[in-house]
Amino acid sequence: MNENVNVKVSIKNVSKAFSKLQVIDNISFDVVEGQFVCIVGPSGCGKTTFLKMVAGLEAPSSGSILVDGFPPNPKNRNIGFVFQEESLLPWRNVYENIRFGLEIRSNKNRKSDSIIEEMIKLVGLNGFEKYYPNQISGGMNKRVAIARALAVDPSILLMDEPFGDLDAQTRWIMHKELKSIHEKLKKTIIFVTHNVEEAVYLGDLVLVFSKRPIKIREVIPIELSEPRDKLSEQFIKYREMAIGLLREELVGI
Amino acid sequence: MAHRYRTLLLGTITFSIFLLIWQLVIMFSPTVFLKDAGPIDSILALVKLATKGDVEGISLFDHTVASVLRVLAGFSAACLTAIPLGILMGLRSEIYEGAKPVLEPLRFIPPIAWIPLAILLLLGFSRYVFLIWLGAFFPILVNTIVGIKAVKPTLIEVAKVFGAKKRQIVSKIVVPSSLPEVVAGMRIGLGIGWMCIVAAEMIAPEVTGLGKLILKSAQLFQIDVVIAGMIVIGILGLIMNETFLIFERRMFKWRREIRV
Ligand SMILES: Nc1ncnc2c1ncn2[C@@H]1O[C@H](COP(=O)(O)OP(=O)(O)O)[C@@H](O)[C@H]1O
Ligand SMILES: [Mg+2]
């Protein structure tokens, strides 16, 4: 990596096994500050496991992960995580859900109110503060989860197939909004998906993971003019390349 | 609205059939003691109980208050013991496993089987509190354990990602997520406590309580009064259950379903 860019996340020779099941096999890469990295890989290959290790929820079996130069530990570093499955606290309304991380971090002061207001505006949930998760749509649930993760001003944002269960229309809207959030806040994002189009649309960099045990199959820097057009020839070229790689990985699963 | 009228109509029909069967049973029963125990006699007996009291002049109100107070005291004792213990056992399965050899056999002894021992070991009010406590304790304990264990692992990870301490995970995730289950256990426990009190009052020497009212009247062959007492017991039980259900629906409106 270039000396004068700021490495945010550094993955070095990381492997992970659950007893006998080898999930990740010696991967290394760096994520630069402010970069939007998308990871695509076949289902069940270990993408969630990988993100949890970056969050400090799981320990690697060997190798090292550094975030801002330290092994990740949620107790002393703010980390944003958007989970694959439903993760809002169903007994809390939208406002209280977004406040959750601030409460844990015991920043529950006057400032936290203005942070929450800001987050609500950022994800476009004005007017829905008092609604409970079961009263709002799947897309809105994801917005709340994103707002909750961002409210603690995390040093990295980890997203695990966040839009996997949304319909195509909603997913498309969420893509645009996530892009604009990234432009506004300049957060470092690692975004996991099995949807190649999504990865090429969102990422500065797309990593293609192999099937289990994970190796890095390919690193694809995306050089497209903004705003990206999913129908442009360039876009389709990237997409087809990544799909081709992924398809090779799917053979024999 | 049409749906409402239909339920109302259906309810009225069922209720009328019930009254009719009751009347028929009384009319064709071979014993003379049931002659004055039809629906109308029983309602009249209820009115008389409420206004003039029973043979000893103890009013229906006094009987009711005595029973309700005993149940509430025993029920409170059950909540105060079963909920903390359930939380502890739900969180620490080794404590649950350790307590199992004692708890599981005890759980299947009906509280009514404890009545003779309670009469020998305890006196007065405490006897009832003990028996109600026994009846309400296990449903509350079991539901609390189940509620605690059923917490979604993802929600715990949400808290961990924000750096939550153990204590915060318990207070902000585990306990709130188990509350609907706990309250449902309380409702079931209260119902069982209510059933136990009547049996306990029949056997203990105190002169008040709905159970005692029924037993006393039966010994005097005032079957209409017995039935009047039964009606009061049924209605009070229903009110308690419904109150809980309303409370549950209000408090847990974030839940998709509330079971009955
Ligand atoms: N805690 C665990 N214990 C044992 N095996 C696990 C655990 N977590 C995940 N796995 C296994 O690791 C593999 C990868 O899982 P996961 O990271 O969820 O994949 P992905 O997110 O790519 O679909 C799966 O086969 C899964 O069963
Ligand atoms: Mg996954």
Side-chain angles (χ1 to χ4, degrees), chain A residues 37-54:
Chain A
V37 175
C38 287
I39 294 174
V40 289
S43 274
C45 72
K47 304 183 295 296
T48 298
T49 306
F50 173 73
L51 272 195
K52 284 184 179 168
M53 290 197 299
V54 179

Side-chain angles (χ1 to χ4, degrees), chain B residues 52-127:
Chain B
K52 299 211 176 86
D54 65 11
V55 277
E56 290 172 272
I58 302 171
S59 75
L60 178 63
F61 181 77
D62 288 344
H63 282 303
T64 307
V65 168
S67 294
V68 169
L69 281 183
R70 288 163 188 160
V71 170
L72 288 184
F75 173 68
S76 308
C79 292
L80 290 175
T81 46
I83 295 173
L85 206 60
I87 292 175
L88 196 67
M89 288 182 173
L91 292 172
R92 308 277 300 268
S93 45
E94 69 273 18
I95 296 182
Y96 175 55
E97 295 300 326
K100 246 182 171 172
V102 177
L103 282 183
E104 283 299 304
L106 283 180
R107 186 149 85 88
F108 293 100
I109 302 173
I112 294 167
W114 284 86
I115 290 177
L117 267 189
I119 288 175
L120 288 175
L121 288 171
L122 297 164
L123 278 177
F125 194 66
S126 63
R127 223 178 242 164

Side-chain angles (χ1 to χ4, degrees), chain A residues 52 74 85-86 90 103 134, chain B residues 152 154 157 160 172 177 254:
Chain A
K52 284 184 179 168
E85 56 272 35
E86 277 182 39
E103 266 176 57
N134 69 352
Chain B
K152 261 177 74 181
T154 311
E157 288 195 315
K160 280 190 179 160
K172 288 183 186 286
S177 100
W254 50 267

Side-chain angles (χ1 to χ4, degrees), chain A residues 52 57 74-75 79 81 83 85-92 100-101 103-105 132 134 148-149 152, chain B residues 151-152 154-155 157-166 168-169 172-174 176-177 253-256:
Chain A
K52 284 184 179 168
L57 292 174
K75 286 228 161 67
I79 287 166
F81 202 115
F83 289 84
E85 56 272 35
E86 277 182 39
S87 69
L88 298 185
L89 312 184
W91 57 89
R92 285 175 173 237
F100 182 69
E103 266 176 57
I104 297 289
R105 292 259 157 214
Y132 284 84
N134 69 352
R148 177 177 66 185
V152 295
Chain B
V151 58
K152 261 177 74 181
T154 311
L155 300 187
E157 288 195 315
V158 168
K160 280 190 179 160
V161 149
F162 288 123
K165 300 179 191 75
K166 262 253 160 65
Q168 288 174 310
I169 292 174
K172 288 183 186 286
I173 302 284
V174 180
S177 100
K253 61 173 185 285
W254 50 267
R255 264 201 140 191
R256 268 155 241 248

Side-chain angles (χ1 to χ4, degrees), chain A residues 16-19 21-24 41-52 58 84 160-161 192 194 212 214:
Chain A
K16 175 75 178 176
F18 292 112
S19 52
L21 182 75
Q22 177 82 6
V23 180
I24 291 166
S43 274
C45 72
K47 304 183 295 296
T48 298
T49 306
F50 173 73
L51 272 195
K52 284 184 179 168
E58 293 267 2
Q84 183 170 4
D160 189 9
E161 306 196 32
V192 158
H194 61 248
R212 206 173 58 221
I214 290 179

Side-chain angles (χ1 to χ4, degrees), chain B residues 191-255:
Chain B
I192 293 179
W194 189 238
M195 313 228 163
C196 298
I197 187 71
V198 175
E201 286 171 344
M202 285 188 181
I203 296 161
E206 276 75 21
V207 295
T208 52
L210 293 166
K212 183 49 61 89
L213 169 69
I214 289 180
L215 184 73
K216 191 164 65 179
S217 310
Q219 286 161 347
L220 298 169
F221 300 108
Q222 296 177 337
I223 307 303
D224 50 346
V225 183
V226 172
I227 294 177
M230 288 166 66
I231 292 173
V232 175
I233 291 166
I235 290 175
L236 281 175
L238 180 74
I239 290 173
M240 288 185 207
N241 198 56
E242 285 299 314
T243 310
F244 251 91
L245 280 173
I246 291 168
F247 170 75
E248 285 174 61
R249 283 196 201 103
R250 280 262 167 89
M251 201 170 155
F252 307 127
K253 61 173 185 285
W254 50 267
R255 264 201 140 191

